[in-house]
Amino acid sequence: MNWTSSGNAVVEAGWQTVRDDGRVRAELLEAAYAEPRLRQLFPWTGMGELHFSRCTEWRHTWDIPYIQPAAEGAYWVSGPLRTDTVGSAATAQEAIAMVVERLPARCGPAFVGTPEELTAHEAATRKTQSD
């Protein structure tokens, strides 16, 4: 499915779910949502971390860095894999900037579907564009 008003509704519902969940600092959510390139992605949480996915369904994509809370209101940016470290950020805005700098090419809006469906869609789109 392409980005449509229904896709927008799915992503917006994801943002509301993360807000309601309460595991992510409000200032981080506000900063992430204020960034248009992140607002169009599907947010999800794990252990107080804020993750961003290029698709809306589980198992979300793991190709975008994520933000973890750190001591004294700071943040730690990691990823996209758990073994990858980006660095520390003193503020939510710094953490958001670090993620945005590392977004994959042609990132967003979120694809309504699973990672496998996203991969198939991207392959079909590349084939169509090369024909």
Side-chain angles (χ1 to χ4, degrees):
M1 177 185 294
N2 290 328
W3 182 255
T4 63
S5 59
S6 64
N8 186 38
V10 171
V11 170
E12 283 297 319
W15 281 99
Q16 189 60 52
T17 297
V18 170
R19 282 186 199 97
D20 293 345
D21 180 77
R23 290 187 283 174
V24 175
R25 294 176 187 164
E27 71 171 347
L28 178 60
L29 285 174
E30 290 172 19
Y33 191 80
E35 169 52 58
R37 291 166 287 187
L38 296 182
R39 185 174 52 243
Q40 68 181 344
L41 300 174
F42 191 82
W44 60 281
T45 62
M47 300 183 294
E49 304 163 344
L50 180 58
H51 296 258
F52 307 94
S53 178
R54 294 186 312 113
C55 68
T56 61
E57 301 296 321
W58 185 255
R59 298 200 55 101
H60 302 294
T61 60
W62 275 86
D63 55 355
I64 299 171
Y66 59 96
I67 304 168
Q68 304 165 279
E72 299 179 17
Y75 296 93
W76 189 258
V77 181
S78 298
L81 302 176
R82 289 229 178 255
T83 56
D84 298 336
T85 299
V86 176
S88 63
T91 67
Q93 290 77 14
E94 287 177 20
I96 295 302
M98 293 167 78
V99 171
V100 169
E101 289 172 6
R102 291 161 178 82
L103 288 174
R106 298 177 304 279
C107 186
F111 178 84
V112 177
T114 66
E116 295 79 17
E117 292 168 333
L118 171 61
T119 300
H121 172 76
E122 290 174 336
T125 300
R126 280 191 301 272
K127 183 177 182 334
T128 300
Q129 291 172 348
S130 67
D131 288 343

